[in-house]
Amino acid sequence: MNISNVELFVIKMPLKSPFVTHLGAVSEREGIIVKVTNQDGIAGWGEGVAFSTPWYTEETVTTSLHMLTDFLIPLLQKHPIHHPEDASKLFQSIRRNQMAKAAIEIALWDLYAKSLHKPLSKIIGGTQDLIASGVVVATNSIDEALKQTEQYLDEGYQRIKVKINPLQDYSFLAEIRNRFPKLPIMADANSAYTLKDINQLKALDEFGLLMIEQPLAHDDMIDHAILQKELTTPICLDESIVTFEDARKAIELGSCKVINIKIGRVGGLYEAKRIHDYCYERGIPVWCGGMIEFGISRAHNIALATLPGFTIPGDISASSRFWQEDIITPEVSVTNGFIHVPDDLGIGVKLNQKRLSETLIAKKEIKFI
Ligand code: OSB
Ligand code: MG
């Protein structure tokens, strides 16, 4: 792919309002923006979605930078690649660190699509040109949750996802369900429960939730299978699915009926597409998860969600859900509950240089030639 250099930009931006889960609150977001330039001067953009602290997965912004500069980028310098898939395969020699791998792998996909003069969605085999949009309500105040839900419905979102935990589930969901009887709702527990809570989880069946996301621990695939047999609500796995192999095992064991695919969590677009293809062949619905991300990652999510198996509104919301001003132009917007897939080359959006410099906290350049 004739890479001439890679630039890493670490940025930091406040959220409009804190994103609260039982694991803590995120009120400021750091992220890594990756720019890969080839010898023809074409640039591909990626984004690292690890958080500042390891609350969601074990990775952080600092571990990602370490992996990128000391291992992943040197691998690309040593072994010239012809296709983004080659990078994905090269990176298998390094254990895990999926978000660091994805940060640069997706930049290579954008670069590859641009060098072929095609939109990324078309390069990966996308078939949809409108993406159904959902949004997450993450607060521990019921009044705030009702207010936010109302506002998001006014903005056109097609479904909401509510964060739950053992101290905030039945009565919380009951209030939302009473106020919005027909609204498609899902609940995300981020591993707040264990199998001992089985009766408390069964009680949630009465709300007719679209699904319950990751009720048990990230490594409780067997317990999720036991729980799924007891629930009528479909289980969706998020944290448990870090590789294609995890997806295959979860489906074979009956640990879930739905999978949330996040490009960062599974190590890149190639692995995300493999998981999609496997699920699609078996009639397992998938949807695209969110990471409170900036516009570059949002644009990659939109390309991924054009694949035919993405049949459920994902956590792909407008740039304005979290940001006063995003780092891309045009920003991602939601119209009547849908996002239009850009038909420009690659990810179809440009970097907002002014916003990048306003939010920049560190920068590094690695030259290949
Ligand atoms: O569990 O899906 C999750 C955000 C950060 C980390 C984990 C999760 C989330 C979300 C989606 O719930 C937020 C978004 O819309 O970006
Ligand atoms: Mg989740």
Side-chain angles (χ1 to χ4, degrees):
M1 292 181 69
N2 295 323
I3 301 169
S4 72
N5 71 322
V6 177
E7 289 160 88
L8 305 173
F9 305 89
V10 184
I11 61 170
K12 185 155 113 177
M13 218 190 274
L15 272 67
K16 280 182 171 173
S17 61
F19 187 91
V20 181
T21 73
H22 76 102
L23 298 168
V26 178
S27 38
E28 234 179 8
R29 181 71 161 112
E30 277 183 305
I32 306 168
I33 304 300
V34 180
K35 180 182 184 185
V36 181
T37 308
N38 74 5
Q39 287 166 22
D40 299 325
I42 304 174
W45 293 92
E47 180 178 326
V49 297
F51 290 97
S52 309
T53 61
W55 66 273
Y56 171 71
T57 65
E58 68 280 12
E59 293 182 82
T60 67
V61 171
T62 307
T63 69
S64 295
L65 287 171
H66 168 51
M67 294 311 299
L68 282 161
T69 51
D70 296 335
F71 300 104
L72 299 169
I73 296 171
L75 266 180
L76 294 174
Q77 285 174 311
K78 202 160 161 222
H79 306 274
I81 58 164
H82 303 283
H83 189 278
E85 228 177 277
D86 301 339
S88 186
K89 288 177 182 151
L90 259 185
F91 293 166
Q92 282 171 14
S93 64
I94 290 170
R95 300 267 187 248
R96 306 214 15 148
N97 290 283
Q98 319 299 58
M99 293 177 183
K101 290 174 179 173
I104 186 151
E105 193 246 18
I106 61 175
L108 293 167
W109 278 104
D110 182 32
L111 176 58
Y112 181 71
K114 283 172 175 160
S115 59
L116 294 183
H117 300 282
K118 293 219 168 98
L120 178 56
S121 58
K122 294 292 182 297
I123 291 282
I124 62 172
T127 53
Q128 314 190 61
D129 42 38
L130 280 179
I131 302 300
S133 185
V135 67
V136 184
V137 168
T139 166
N140 48 25
S141 143
I142 183 63
D143 292 338
E144 187 56 32
L146 291 168
K147 204 179 100 197
Q148 283 184 21
T149 304
E150 187 106 48
Q151 180 204 325
Y152 292 140
L153 293 182
D154 284 348
E155 291 173 29
Y157 288 102
Q158 304 202 17
R159 66 102 178 114
I160 63 148
K161 178 170 117 180
V162 187
K163 294 290 189 181
I164 58 163
N165 65 69
L167 302 175
Q168 173 185 311
D169 53 13
Y170 188 88
S171 55
F172 207 83
L173 289 169
E175 293 224 31
I176 300 174
R177 178 48 85 219
N178 287 341
R179 178 83 74 86
F180 307 97
K182 296 208 177 92
L183 174 66
I185 302 174
M186 41 175 116
D188 186 1
N190 290 107
S191 301
Y193 299 85
T194 70
L195 262 192
K196 293 198 186 96
D197 303 311
I198 199 156
N199 290 328
Q200 199 172 336
L201 289 164
K202 274 163 101 164
L204 308 181
D205 276 341
E206 77 175 60
F207 298 120
L209 300 173
L210 280 180
M211 68 194 74
I212 179 167
E213 188 180 337
Q214 197 71 38
L216 311 179
H218 70 95
D219 53 358
D220 273 359
M221 237 183 237
I222 304 228
D223 289 358
H224 275 111
I226 295 170
L227 178 63
Q228 181 65 92
K229 286 194 188 74
E230 300 292 320
L231 296 185
T232 55
T233 307
I235 291 177
C236 169
L237 290 177
D238 174 357
E239 285 89 328
S240 294
I241 311 297
V242 180
T243 61
F244 172 85
E245 276 303 308
D246 290 337
R248 183 182 68 76
K249 287 166 192 160
I251 290 164
E252 284 203 5
L253 284 169
S255 313
C256 64
K257 292 183 177 160
V258 185
I259 290 181
N260 159 342
I261 303 183
K262 292 182 183 173
I263 300 172
R265 197 194 63 228
V266 304
L269 201 46
Y270 175 65
E271 193 79 353
K273 184 171 153 49
R274 283 180 74 211
I275 296 172
H276 160 274
D277 294 352
Y278 184 87
C279 292
Y280 188 53
E281 282 160 20
R282 286 159 186 79
I284 306 282
V286 300
W287 53 278
C288 182
M291 284 292 290
I292 318 179
E293 57 245 288
F294 301 111
I296 297 292
S297 183
R298 236 161 251 277
H300 281 280
N301 287 343
I302 292 168
L304 175 68
T306 63
L307 295 175
F310 284 82
T311 52
I312 299 173
D315 289 345
I316 313 183
S317 52
S319 295
S320 62
R321 159 69 181 85
F322 293 113
W323 315 122
Q324 215 56 259
E325 187 183 359
D326 202 344
I327 55 155
I328 53 161
T329 52
E331 294 198 345
V332 174
S333 61
V334 173
T335 313
N336 300 324
F338 290 96
I339 295 170
H340 280 266
V341 178
D343 44 27
D344 274 349
L345 310 186
I347 55 173
V349 295
K350 294 207 160 45
L351 203 87
N352 177 340
Q353 294 292 344
K354 172 191 127 288
R355 194 60 180 147
L356 181 71
S357 28
E358 280 169 7
T359 53
L360 190 68
I361 55 175
K363 193 181 153 177
K364 191 166 189 146
E365 180 177 358
I366 299 110
K367 290 194 161 51
F368 276 48
I369 42 170

